[in-house]
Amino acid sequence: MMTYQLVATAASGIEALTGSELKKMGYQVEVENGKAYFQGDTEDIIKTNLWLRTADRVKIVFGTFTAKTFDDLFEQTKALPWEELLPMDAAFPVSGKSVKSTLYSVPDCQSIVKKAIVDRLSTFYSRRARLPESGSEYPIEVSILKDVVTLTVDTTGSSLFKRGYRTEKGGAPIKENMAASLIQLTSWFPDKPFYDPTCGSGTIPIEAALIGLNIAPGIQRSFISEGWNIFPEGQWKKLRDEAKLSANFDVELDIMGTDIDQNMIEIAKENAARAGVEDFVTFKQLALKDFKTDKEYGVMVSNPPYGERMENEEYVENLYKQMGEVFRPLETWSKYIITSDLDFEDFYGQWATKKRKLYNGRLRTDYFQFWGKRRPRPKK
């Protein structure tokens, strides 16, 4: 079976988490900015698409070379064995980007790559007429950085954050893979209480439940490469079935999400039901200032409204003050709050134990981490 050079792409600041996920799955990984490289066959393409929680896409790296002229780009693209991946009727749209490179015209680069592949396939398949491009889609990207060309083929299609359970969302939703990343950056384990005080449409608690139950995040969706002929017959179904059997519904979870908006709570419940975790997450309408708990050693993750997402700055500042007043006394709880407001600590009334820079889409944010007291070790 053919081995491919693969890359899992991720948001800036998240690639190390994606690399850790791949290492836990048994792969040797090299992590760069926004990318985690690994090798695998068709089974690995399926597994990583089904199981990666923090990545955006899984791509085949089909070729890498240096090109400073359009002739170089054409000839080296044409020299690659595209027929090993693309059948005669393959549809292969070409997208592109170019950074700090001699070949800076992206439309021209896309056109040349397309023409080179057409020439290669037309010769291989003995086609004089145009290629039909009526079959499965193979999205190709030409990416040029400092004159180094990388040609990739996307195996995912719609980004991996689109799990398939969230059809309703609030005004400022967090992507599912970012929510999973926020959880993985905490000290939470499934035996601890988990709470989201600003849950909106429920994405963060739902992702916590998927992690706690070991449910593959991609189990409910389809992928663009499912129609490709490189996969042995039945391989997708086999690995999907194995993924379904990996879920553990005997785990006891204590996960709760609250929001001041009752309409959002109803949406969160519907999303949880579509994700198959409605019995493992409690959602209820509650103002943040009214939260109380006798539980200890829990983990709290919040994606509250912040400046760029809210026109009412005074409301946001008051919300942060309420957070500090309500959460600070919970000394055994660890609190993790993502916001673009760099003055958050001033309003919260406490300096974070640690801050981590993340990008929520294109927006620069900080993940403020307030670590709680550790549980005392049992006396020997």
Side-chain angles (χ1 to χ4, degrees):
M1 190 172 290
M2 183 175 291
T3 298
Y4 299 95
Q5 175 67 56
L6 302 171
V7 60
T9 61
S12 180
I14 299 300
E15 58 277 325
L17 291 178
T18 301
S20 294
E21 285 192 88
L22 289 166
K23 287 174 184 176
K24 288 177 182 176
M25 295 171 72
Y27 300 104
Q28 290 187 327
V29 185
E30 290 185 17
V31 175
E32 295 181 5
N33 184 33
K35 300 179 179 69
Y37 290 93
F38 63 106
Q39 291 190 329
D41 55 22
T42 54
E43 182 171 305
D44 300 304
I45 291 172
I46 298 171
K47 282 183 177 179
T48 51
N49 271 303
L50 288 174
W51 281 102
L52 283 175
R53 299 184 188 277
T54 62
D56 288 325
R57 300 176 187 281
V58 177
K59 299 180 177 183
I60 296 172
V61 181
F62 204 74
T64 303
F65 52 83
T66 299
K68 294 184 178 182
T69 69
F70 288 135
D71 282 344
D72 285 343
L73 179 62
F74 180 89
E75 293 300 336
Q76 293 190 76
T77 298
K78 185 178 178 181
L80 295 171
W82 292 101
E83 66 279 357
E84 293 180 1
L85 182 64
L86 306 183
M88 184 184 69
D89 65 348
F92 50 101
V94 179
S95 61
K97 56 186 177 182
S98 179
V99 179
K100 298 179 180 178
S101 299
T102 306
L103 301 178
Y104 59 84
S105 173
V106 173
D108 286 336
C109 292
Q110 291 173 194
S111 177
I112 287 166
V113 166
K114 178 81 175 186
K115 187 175 187 303
I117 298 172
V118 168
D119 275 16
R120 172 84 186 202
L121 295 181
S122 295
T123 299
F124 182 83
Y125 292 116
S126 301
R127 292 279 301 187
R128 292 184 179 179
R130 286 184 62 180
L131 295 170
E133 295 202 45
S134 57
S136 298
E137 189 170 320
Y138 297 72
I140 294 168
E141 181 184 65
V142 50
S143 174
I144 312 177
L145 175 61
K146 296 179 180 178
D147 297 328
V148 176
V149 178
T150 303
L151 296 169
T152 58
V153 187
D154 180 18
T155 73
T156 301
S158 296
S159 174
L160 289 173
F161 82 80
K162 296 184 178 181
R163 317 282 205 226
Y165 65 76
R166 193 173 73 175
T167 58
E168 297 286 346
K169 51 194 177 184
I174 192 166
K175 291 179 179 179
E176 290 89 323
N177 53 0
M178 176 58 78
S181 300
L182 296 182
I183 296 164
Q184 292 192 19
L185 287 169
T186 74
S187 58
W188 183 67
F189 287 94
D191 61 346
K192 293 182 178 182
F194 183 93
Y195 176 51
D196 178 358
T198 55
C199 71
S201 58
T203 306
I204 292 174
I206 290 169
E207 288 296 318
L210 293 176
I211 291 169
L213 299 170
N214 197 41
I215 295 175
I219 200 68
Q220 292 194 25
R221 55 161 290 170
S222 60
F223 301 91
I224 202 164
S225 57
E226 288 186 55
W228 297 3
N229 62 7
I230 62 171
F231 297 97
E233 186 175 353
Q235 192 175 43
W236 275 96
K237 182 180 184 307
K238 172 179 174 289
L239 294 174
R240 278 185 186 279
D241 290 344
E242 288 178 4
K244 289 176 182 177
L245 292 173
S246 297
N248 182 4
F249 293 101
D250 294 328
V251 176
E252 291 187 14
L253 298 177
D254 184 359
I255 300 175
M256 183 169 73
T258 62
D259 199 277
I260 196 170
D261 187 343
Q262 180 61 39
N263 182 53
M264 294 310 302
I265 292 300
E266 295 305 317
I267 290 173
K269 289 178 179 178
E270 292 171 7
N271 288 340
R274 277 188 288 270
V277 299
E278 68 270 31
D279 295 333
F280 298 89
V281 185
T282 299
F283 289 108
K284 68 178 182 180
Q285 188 271 330
L286 185 73
L288 189 148
K289 64 183 177 61
D290 295 327
F291 174 72
K292 293 175 183 160
T293 184
D294 294 327
K295 297 172 184 177
E296 292 188 307
Y297 304 104
V299 170
M300 196 178 295
V301 178
S302 175
N303 174 42
Y306 39 86
E308 286 78 358
R309 299 160 51 195
M310 294 289 290
E311 294 180 1
N312 192 334
E313 189 173 324
E314 184 179 355
Y315 169 83
V316 174
E317 292 173 359
N318 286 332
L319 182 69
Y320 295 161
K321 289 176 183 176
Q322 286 180 12
M323 283 183 145
E325 292 166 2
V326 174
F327 301 157
R328 270 199 316 275
L330 304 175
E331 294 183 352
T332 68
W333 281 69
S334 292
K335 305 101 179 177
Y336 300 80
I337 300 159
I338 185 171
T339 174
S340 66
D341 290 345
L342 301 183
D343 295 329
F344 170 78
E345 292 159 304
D346 294 334
F347 298 111
Y348 187 83
Q350 182 182 353
W351 295 110
T353 312
K354 184 179 180 181
K355 289 188 289 186
R356 182 168 181 144
K357 181 172 70 174
L358 298 173
Y359 281 87
N360 188 4
R362 294 185 178 181
L363 181 62
R364 151 74 192 274
T365 63
D366 278 291
Y367 197 31
F368 294 89
Q369 305 175 34
F370 303 88
W371 298 349
K373 292 181 178 178
R374 291 187 178 182
R375 191 188 301 271
R377 291 183 179 179
K379 294 182 180 180
K380 293 183 180 179

